[in-house]
Amino acid sequence: MSDILLSLGPFQGITDAPFRNVFKRHFGGIDKFYTPFFTGIHKEDHAKNLQGEEIDPKFNDVETLTPQILSTDAEEILRFTKQCKQLGYKEINLNMGCPFPRVANKKRGCGLLPYPDMVEAMFERVFEEIDIKFSVKCRLGYFSPEEIEAIIPIFNRFPLSELIIHPRIGKQLYKGEADVERFKALIPYINAPLVYNGDIFSRESFGHIREQVQSVNQFMLGRGILANPFLAEEIRGGAWNAPERIARLYAYIVDLYEDRLRHAGGSPKVLGRMKELWSYLMNSFEEPQVVWRKIKKINALKEYEDAVEYVFMNNKLIQ
């Protein structure tokens, strides 16, 4: 499917620079990546949280990576933009989609969607100065799917490089099903290039969604690719036998663990991030809860290493 573009969505605590780089070593099919959101850009130049590997071009391909910011402050967004541009990035993305209450209750993430006047004032200021591409990731609303109707005319006033829509409301978190019909109904009213995001878990689910939104050719993969790292390749027609799949998945998870361990100086704090990934990756196996029980209670590095060996030797992958 050479006519489609696939991106990997940002997940706080999981899809950081080590994850992205290891993923690219082992799997293909992804055209574009996004950083998990940055926030607290307090200085005009050299904000502390923009100096590490997460955004340093030495550790990232600036042609395929878009930095994301979580903010309602136009001046902070402009500071972020300036520093990202200095690092060579061509685009930034504004997070208007995070549904978690600790974010949304502060009118950030999708908690901003019920306040179109705030969005409009922020965009007016940002677009006075911004000189790189500016994209948005959002949901249908926070309290109601109708909230996006008041936001779309604002989006249309400005030259967004893309608009990524996850068709749920924030209050749902990830419950229920993504409302593909609602997304489809919005297509004629949106000027920006559209990206669909939500509930793509298999080649079959992708095909079903694409059939409904045929005019859209950009899709963001999220939980589906954390659960099945082969997903983008499968969507593009790839297929492997069971020994190939198990060998590639094992090599990937070991490489990621060892890379994280190097970055952490051997600290067991890497276990938290590995467990978070396994909470999705367990769904690659025929008995996910058996796998998860083996992983979730581990608190020591050697225990984790032994558990991973056990999981791959004694559990079958879904074909």
Side-chain angles (χ1 to χ4, degrees), residues 107-134:
K107 299 181 182 177
R108 304 205 297 176
C110 70
L112 183 57
L113 292 169
Y115 305 97
D117 291 346
M118 285 181 62
V119 176
E120 186 167 35
M122 179 174 64
F123 277 32
E124 284 176 346
R125 176 68 187 102
V126 166
F127 279 93
E128 284 178 1
E129 290 189 23
I130 196 166
D131 56 357
I132 64 173
K133 293 178 181 179
F134 181 84

Side-chain angles (χ1 to χ4, degrees), residues 180 203-213:
V180 183
R203 179 162 34 195
E204 293 70 29
S205 63
F206 172 80
H208 178 67
I209 289 167
R210 195 182 187 211
E211 183 65 29
Q212 296 179 77
V213 295

Side-chain angles (χ1 to χ4, degrees), residues 14-70:
I14 300 179
T15 60
D16 56 5
F19 174 91
R20 296 189 300 267
N21 291 328
V22 171
F23 183 92
K24 285 188 284 186
R25 285 202 291 268
H26 292 270
F27 299 99
I30 293 294
D31 302 293
K32 188 174 184 178
F33 296 81
Y34 297 78
T35 70
F37 65 73
F38 289 88
T39 190
I41 312 301
H42 298 303
K43 294 183 179 181
E44 185 65 28
D45 292 299
H46 308 300
K48 186 176 181 180
N49 56 350
L50 295 182
Q51 295 179 50
E53 289 187 13
E54 181 58 20
I55 201 166
D56 189 329
K58 292 196 296 291
F59 303 97
N60 295 280
D61 177 2
V62 299
E63 298 302 320
T64 61
L65 180 64
T66 295
Q68 185 185 79
I69 186 169
L70 177 75

